[in-house]
Amino acid sequence: MSLSKFQIAKRIAQELQDGYYVNLGIGIPTLIANYIPENISVVLQSENGLLGMGPFPFKENVDSDLINAGKETITTLKGSALFSSAESFAMIRSGRVDLTVLGAMEVAQNGDIANWKIPGKMVKGMGGAMDLVASAKNIIVAMMHTNKKGQSKLLPNCSLPLTGQHCIKKIVTNLAVIEIVDSKFLLKEYAPGVSIEQIIDSTAGELIVADNVCQMKID
Amino acid sequence: MSLSKFQIAKRIAQELQDGYYVNLGIGIPTLIANYIPENISVVLQSENGLLGMGPFPFKENVDSDLINAGKETITTLKGSALFSSAESFAMIRSGRVDLTVLGAMEVAQNGDIANWKIPGKMVKGMGGAMDLVASAKNIIVAMMHTNKKGQSKLLPNCSLPLTGQHCIKKIVTNLAVIEIVDSKFLLKEYAPGVSIEQIIDSTAGELIVADNVCQMKID
Amino acid sequence: MKKVYKNAEQAIFDVEDNSTIMLGGFGLCGIPENLISALVKRGTRGLTCISNNAGVDDFGIGLLLKTKQVRKMISSYVGENAEFERQLLNNELEVELIPQGTLAERCRAAGAGIPAFYTPSGVGTEIAQNKEKRIFDGKTFILETAFKSDFAFIKAWKGDTLGNLVYKGTARNFNPMMATAGKITIVEVEHLVEVGELDPNEIHTPNIYVNRIFEGQNYEKRIEKITTQ
Amino acid sequence: MKKVYKNAEQAIFDVEDNSTIMLGGFGLCGIPENLISALVKRGTRGLTCISNNAGVDDFGIGLLLKTKQVRKMISSYVGENAEFERQLLNNELEVELIPQGTLAERCRAAGAGIPAFYTPSGVGTEIAQNKEKRIFDGKTFILETAFKSDFAFIKAWKGDTLGNLVYKGTARNFNPMMATAGKITIVEVEHLVEVGELDPNEIHTPNIYVNRIFEGQNYEKRIEKITTQ
């Protein structure tokens, strides 16, 4: 009864606030765009040079000169702005992006994140992830609680090469919403049908259960 | 029989080459724009954000949103480009401007220049001069050979606070064309009707007369 | 999240004494006329102004000097007005002079999350005193840091209600970098247009940098030196 | 001073073995297709390529990898093609991975006469190893230097014969900074227009940065992932 990736996206969409500028990473984060509450307006930043990313185009409107950072064809919206990669990362580094959501291989209880390299395997590169985690004011990690082998991805320390240090404050997984406070994982919400014991068992790092822990509200 | 400021400008215009990007300072340098040879094309850069500076506008076309670095109303040309001050000085610092011409209070035989500050007097600021002299590949100083008191402006060392160090390679005055070679002034050309002795007398720094010294060709 | 304000007075409601304010413009070209007037009216004092120039006696930042609201000017070229000179000579005004390119780049750095950079401008001059020097490829450079400012006062030609901006002519000058560099960026435009009216490909300042925007009134757009053929 | 060349072959007449070349583009979007093809034809070897990505097996920089003309890739994200992976695992290819924002800024610095700057990107990671660290306002930054390159290969949408450029959509990406950063900047455009046809206020790359320009042919403009509603 853990969450699907769509439900993880839905839960994170609840974190959005009116007027937010948001950068969504590849994978689950991208799905969040589908669940933006109708009563607020947020602007999506694509780090390859677009502010105000629209939905995928209709077939007849596909434009090879208009892609997102995941290299998918997209559209602009009224009010969009186009710019260079240098300008794009100027925005990111100067902290103008209100919320960054990205995936991770590992998150440590001190806020470290690893999501770009597995030693011994083919390394494709960090893309914009290191810039994003180094500068974002507000980062949420969207990921499965455990990896394909069933091992916890919430660790006392990251074992993989880091993407960024002490930068993660919130994690939304298929099992739980967890904050990082005082270098410990703090369980704030559990997924419907998931027990706190199951979350404790699935978390290798030190996990504290918040006094006001509650069940996630997901349709 | 020394040159007028117009003739100094005319002589410097002979240094222009086809395709040059040129930044002209306030005063005599500005006049050079009137003497660009017809068989070449040069692009004038105005450091407040314009490449391809045109002539002064006709009265009916004056535009308060179009001025040069001297704050005079100007025009654009076909092929002009407008940009920010950061972009403008990016061009300058990266050495894309082929020739910079500016005035000076003092030039030293080692190529130092002073043109922005007289201690004890009201200091207005260096504007873009320090950036220009620090980065230009090719700088010509346009000035009178002596100051209002009749004192030489070509000195063994600058007495005034510097604008830039070891950066001047050529000076065109009302008396002569002088290059700086091995930390000495090298007299290359004398103005019509001006004697070499007069130039030596008017030059406080060490002056060598070039073997091929000749009379300036000025209409 | 409404960025649109009715006028300059409302847009500067929280500008307090002793603020540091960046002001766009080169000479009197592209200056935030409405914001300056509103600041005069508000009477905010002890200001540090980062601006390439300091206006003339009766226009631009000169208006703030006349009312003695400015404690310090950070500029590349100043003194086109008598009041400025008087205050400076009487030690009523502090002035920090910075090479124009360095001024521009320190604004750009602030808006780009770059805390410091090396530049050749000013090496061997008094500007380099007490600054760290470093040689790259045999050439000497000095370390310059990003500006910090509480507000940026920007003037654009057109802007949409989301905050996308387009400048006109050489009125662009320092405005784009300063627009990125203010903790709060307040923009006055000659024409406030609806979202969708500006081509996304032709925007000079993307809306993410703009916190507040309003349509200015009664632009004088004074010219310092009218030169004609 | 003619900047206009007939085609890509003529525009790259002096690109020699072991050159360092910057190539604009993000994925396959905005890449200099004609220049890459001409470089394949020319057979220039030992290249160091600075480019955000490395193309796919049969398009973009992938074409130069297939012919083993590339000695080293400097990129932020690579390996969308099998040949790249094969060469890397066989030590036939050197790869330097750089955070995307740092890659962009190192190009920008090169074109802005800034030899080095501090950035937070990569602090606490292996990217920061052997790099100078420095604290500003309590936060740690690392020193990064400007790239050096012999050539920049740029793709723009429109360009005039003087070299003013306009990009389209997200095909802009790395092109504007790289256009400023090449010792020699060579540009291919979809539409070469006469001087005067581009509005001076809407130019993305001013002509001063462009050394050579030509109108490209047979643009494929391949899409990596066609996603539709």
Side-chain angles (χ1 to χ4, degrees):
Chain A
M1 284 295 286
S2 66
L3 301 190
S4 69
K5 62 184 182 174
F6 300 100
Q7 288 172 308
I8 295 174
K10 255 188 190 173
R11 173 61 190 85
I12 294 173
Q14 294 171 18
E15 303 284 316
L16 299 173
Q17 292 182 24
D18 190 35
Y20 260 20
Y21 288 91
V22 181
N23 183 291
L24 301 176
I26 296 168
I28 299 174
T30 301
L31 300 173
I32 296 169
N34 301 320
Y35 305 109
I36 298 169
E38 287 193 2
N39 58 334
I40 66 169
S41 112
V42 304
V43 177
L44 301 181
Q45 201 250 17
S46 188
E47 67 262 30
N48 57 322
L50 173 61
L51 205 55
M53 182 165 56
F56 294 147
F58 291 106
K59 203 175 170 187
E60 59 273 26
N61 295 329
V62 165
D63 181 352
S64 56
D65 290 326
L66 210 51
I67 63 168
N68 65 17
K71 288 148 195 164
E72 300 166 324
T73 48
I74 42 113
T75 54
T76 55
L77 298 169
K78 284 186 179 185
S80 290
L82 293 154
F83 37 83
S84 72
S85 300
E87 181 74 54
S88 184
F89 284 93
M91 292 172 193
I92 290 168
R93 276 192 313 264
S94 67
R96 296 272 175 175
V97 175
D98 298 295
L99 175 64
T100 294
V101 187
L102 74 178
M105 298 169 182
E106 297 180 348
V107 178
Q109 65 191 51
N110 66 355
D112 289 356
I113 175 172
N115 74 349
W116 77 285
K117 183 176 184 177
I118 301 174
K121 289 207 180 176
M122 171 67 192
V123 179
K124 295 201 169 191
M126 68 295 280
M130 281 194 187
D131 307 280
L132 281 160
V133 301
S135 297
K137 290 174 289 192
N138 186 4
I139 308 174
I140 297 178
V141 167
M143 66 177 189
M144 294 295 149
H145 211 97
T146 53
N147 64 20
K148 285 173 188 162
K149 297 182 189 161
Q151 296 161 328
S152 179
K153 295 168 76 173
L154 291 90
L155 306 172
N157 293 290
C158 287
S159 65
L160 295 171
L162 295 189
T163 307
Q165 229 178 6
H166 311 310
C167 52
I168 308 303
K169 300 212 172 59
K170 188 173 277 192
I171 307 149
V172 179
T173 75
N174 52 327
L175 303 184
V177 176
I178 287 171
E179 292 181 3
I180 291 179
V181 178
D182 294 336
S183 286
K184 293 185 188 82
F185 293 120
L186 182 69
L187 177 63
K188 298 283 287 183
E189 301 175 23
Y190 48 85
V194 172
S195 71
I196 290 176
E197 289 65 35
Q198 185 181 346
I199 295 166
I200 292 172
D201 285 351
S202 302
T203 305
E206 187 175 352
L207 183 80
I208 310 289
V209 180
D211 293 342
N212 57 353
V213 66
C214 63
Q215 182 175 304
M216 268 189 238
K217 290 182 187 70
I218 288 281
D219 314 328
Chain B
M1 285 294 287
S2 66
L3 301 190
S4 69
K5 61 183 184 175
F6 300 100
Q7 288 173 308
I8 295 174
K10 255 187 190 173
R11 174 59 191 82
I12 294 173
Q14 295 170 18
E15 304 283 317
L16 299 173
Q17 292 182 24
D18 191 35
Y20 260 21
Y21 288 90
V22 181
N23 182 291
L24 301 176
I26 296 167
I28 298 174
T30 301
L31 300 172
I32 296 168
N34 301 319
Y35 305 110
I36 298 169
E38 287 192 1
N39 58 333
I40 66 169
S41 110
V42 304
V43 178
L44 301 181
Q45 201 248 20
S46 189
E47 68 262 30
N48 57 319
L50 172 61
L51 205 55
M53 182 166 54
F56 294 147
F58 290 106
K59 203 175 168 186
E60 59 272 27
N61 295 328
V62 165
D63 181 351
S64 56
D65 289 325
L66 211 51
I67 63 168
N68 64 16
K71 290 150 195 165
E72 300 165 325
T73 48
I74 43 112
T75 54
T76 56
L77 299 169
K78 283 185 180 183
S80 289
L82 294 154
F83 38 82
S84 72
S85 300
E87 181 75 56
S88 184
F89 284 93
M91 292 173 192
I92 290 168
R93 276 192 314 263
S94 66
R96 297 271 175 175
V97 175
D98 298 293
L99 175 64
T100 294
V101 186
L102 74 177
M105 298 168 182
E106 297 179 347
V107 177
Q109 65 192 52
N110 65 355
D112 289 356
I113 176 173
N115 73 351
W116 77 283
K117 182 176 185 178
I118 302 175
K121 288 206 179 176
M122 172 67 193
V123 179
K124 294 199 170 191
M126 68 294 281
M130 281 193 185
D131 307 280
L132 282 159
V133 301
S135 297
K137 291 175 288 194
N138 186 5
I139 307 174
I140 297 178
V141 167
M143 67 176 188
M144 295 294 149
H145 211 97
T146 53
N147 64 20
K148 284 173 187 162
K149 295 180 187 161
Q151 295 161 329
S152 179
K153 294 168 77 173
L154 291 90
L155 305 172
N157 294 291
C158 287
S159 65
L160 296 171
L162 295 188
T163 307
Q165 231 179 5
H166 312 309
C167 52
I168 307 303
K169 299 211 171 60
K170 187 174 279 193
I171 306 148
V172 179
T173 75
N174 52 326
L175 302 184
V177 175
I178 287 169
E179 293 181 0
I180 291 178
V181 179
D182 294 337
S183 286
K184 294 185 189 77
F185 294 119
L186 181 69
L187 177 62
K188 298 283 287 184
E189 301 174 24
Y190 48 86
V194 171
S195 70
I196 290 177
E197 289 66 37
Q198 185 182 347
I199 295 167
I200 292 172
D201 286 351
S202 300
T203 304
E206 187 175 353
L207 183 80
I208 310 289
V209 179
D211 292 342
N212 59 351
V213 66
C214 62
Q215 183 176 302
M216 268 189 236
K217 290 183 187 71
I218 288 281
D219 315 329
Chain C
M1 188 73 171
K2 288 278 284 181
K3 293 183 177 181
V4 178
Y5 283 67
K6 200 177 153 199
N7 55 34
E9 285 80 57
Q10 295 189 4
I12 65 164
F13 71 92
D14 56 353
V15 179
E16 301 298 346
D17 286 356
N18 306 312
S19 295
T20 295
I21 305 179
M22 288 182 170
L23 298 102
F26 185 99
L28 300 178
C29 181
I31 60 173
E33 296 186 16
N34 278 248
L35 288 163
I36 292 170
S37 295
L39 202 53
V40 169
K41 197 171 156 195
R42 187 174 166 83
T44 318
R45 299 177 70 83
L47 300 174
T48 296
C49 293
I50 303 173
S51 169
N52 190 56
N53 311 92
V56 294
D57 265 321
D58 59 344
F59 203 58
I61 294 176
L63 298 172
L64 292 165
L65 290 165
K66 201 186 275 181
T67 49
K68 301 195 179 174
Q69 293 175 253
V70 182
R71 184 181 64 77
K72 181 176 182 180
M73 283 299 314
I74 299 177
S75 303
S76 89
Y77 195 84
V78 296
E80 302 282 22
N81 61 66
E83 178 61 16
F84 183 99
E85 193 163 345
R86 195 196 62 72
Q87 289 185 20
L88 185 63
L89 296 175
N90 284 345
N91 291 317
E92 295 170 20
L93 181 68
E94 209 180 319
V95 177
E96 186 179 344
L97 293 169
I98 294 179
Q100 196 173 134
T102 299
L103 187 74
E105 192 66 12
R106 290 179 67 186
C107 295
R108 195 266 171 189
I114 302 294
F117 58 91
Y118 289 92
T119 177
S121 303
V123 168
T125 76
E126 61 181 54
I127 293 301
Q129 281 167 16
N130 306 318
K131 284 190 181 144
E132 181 181 318
K133 285 151 203 80
R134 185 153 178 166
I135 294 170
F136 295 93
D137 285 333
K139 186 171 171 177
T140 303
F141 296 82
I142 55 178
L143 186 69
E144 296 280 3
T145 56
F147 281 126
K148 290 184 212 333
S149 69
D150 301 304
F151 296 92
F153 283 8
I154 302 303
K155 160 77 195 319
W157 179 39
K158 291 183 187 173
D160 69 23
T161 54
L162 197 55
N164 290 304
L165 307 180
V166 173
Y167 307 94
K168 177 166 164 274
T170 58
R172 196 184 312 186
N173 55 63
F174 282 82
N175 283 298
M177 299 84 70
M178 288 182 173
T180 70
K183 214 175 287 166
I184 295 176
T185 293
I186 309 176
V187 182
E188 57 177 270
V189 293
E190 287 182 60
H191 306 284
L192 184 66
V193 303
E194 288 306 310
V195 165
E197 287 190 40
L198 302 177
D199 183 338
N201 210 29
E202 293 170 5
I203 283 163
H204 295 140
T205 294
N207 58 75
I208 197 170
Y209 296 113
V210 174
N211 300 97
R212 302 172 195 169
I213 189 167
F214 66 94
E215 188 168 276
Q217 291 167 350
N218 304 320
Y219 279 104
E220 179 178 339
K221 297 175 70 170
R222 193 187 297 185
I223 299 173
E224 271 176 273
K225 297 177 192 167
I226 299 180
T227 44
T228 57
Q229 291 196 21
Chain D
M1 188 73 171
K2 288 278 283 181
K3 292 182 177 180
V4 178
Y5 283 67
K6 202 179 153 195
N7 56 35
E9 286 81 54
Q10 295 190 5
I12 64 163
F13 71 93
D14 56 353
V15 178
E16 303 297 347
D17 285 356
N18 306 312
S19 294
T20 295
I21 306 178
M22 289 180 169
L23 298 101
F26 185 98
L28 300 179
C29 182
I31 61 173
E33 295 186 17
N34 278 246
L35 288 163
I36 291 170
S37 295
L39 202 53
V40 169
K41 198 170 155 195
R42 188 174 165 84
T44 317
R45 298 178 71 82
L47 300 173
T48 296
C49 293
I50 303 173
S51 168
N52 189 55
N53 312 93
V56 295
D57 265 322
D58 60 344
F59 204 59
I61 292 176
L63 298 172
L64 291 165
L65 290 165
K66 200 186 275 181
T67 50
K68 299 196 180 173
Q69 293 174 253
V70 181
R71 184 181 65 77
K72 181 176 182 180
M73 283 300 313
I74 299 177
S75 302
S76 89
Y77 194 83
V78 296
E80 301 283 21
N81 61 67
E83 177 61 16
F84 182 98
E85 193 162 344
R86 196 197 61 73
Q87 289 185 22
L88 185 63
L89 296 174
N90 284 344
N91 290 317
E92 295 170 21
L93 181 68
E94 208 179 318
V95 177
E96 186 179 343
L97 293 169
I98 295 180
Q100 196 172 134
T102 299
L103 187 75
E105 192 67 11
R106 291 178 68 186
C107 295
R108 194 267 171 188
I114 302 294
F117 59 91
Y118 289 92
T119 178
S121 302
V123 168
T125 76
E126 62 182 53
I127 292 301
Q129 280 166 17
N130 306 318
K131 283 189 182 144
E132 182 181 317
K133 286 152 201 78
R134 187 154 176 165
I135 294 170
F136 294 94
D137 285 333
K139 185 170 172 176
T140 304
F141 296 83
I142 55 178
L143 186 69
E144 297 279 3
T145 57
F147 280 126
K148 287 181 216 332
S149 69
D150 301 304
F151 296 92
F153 283 8
I154 302 303
K155 160 76 195 320
W157 179 39
K158 291 183 187 173
D160 69 22
T161 54
L162 197 55
N164 290 303
L165 307 181
V166 173
Y167 307 94
K168 177 167 164 273
T170 58
R172 195 183 313 185
N173 55 62
F174 281 83
N175 282 297
M177 300 84 72
M178 289 183 172
T180 70
K183 215 175 284 167
I184 295 176
T185 293
I186 308 176
V187 182
E188 57 177 272
V189 293
E190 288 182 60
H191 306 284
L192 184 66
V193 304
E194 287 305 310
V195 164
E197 286 190 40
L198 302 177
D199 183 338
N201 209 30
E202 293 170 4
I203 284 163
H204 296 140
T205 294
N207 59 76
I208 196 169
Y209 295 113
V210 174
N211 300 98
R212 301 172 196 169
I213 189 167
F214 66 94
E215 188 169 277
Q217 292 167 350
N218 304 321
Y219 279 104
E220 179 178 340
K221 297 175 70 170
R222 194 187 297 184
I223 298 173
E224 271 176 272
K225 298 178 193 167
I226 297 181
T227 43
T228 56
Q229 290 195 22

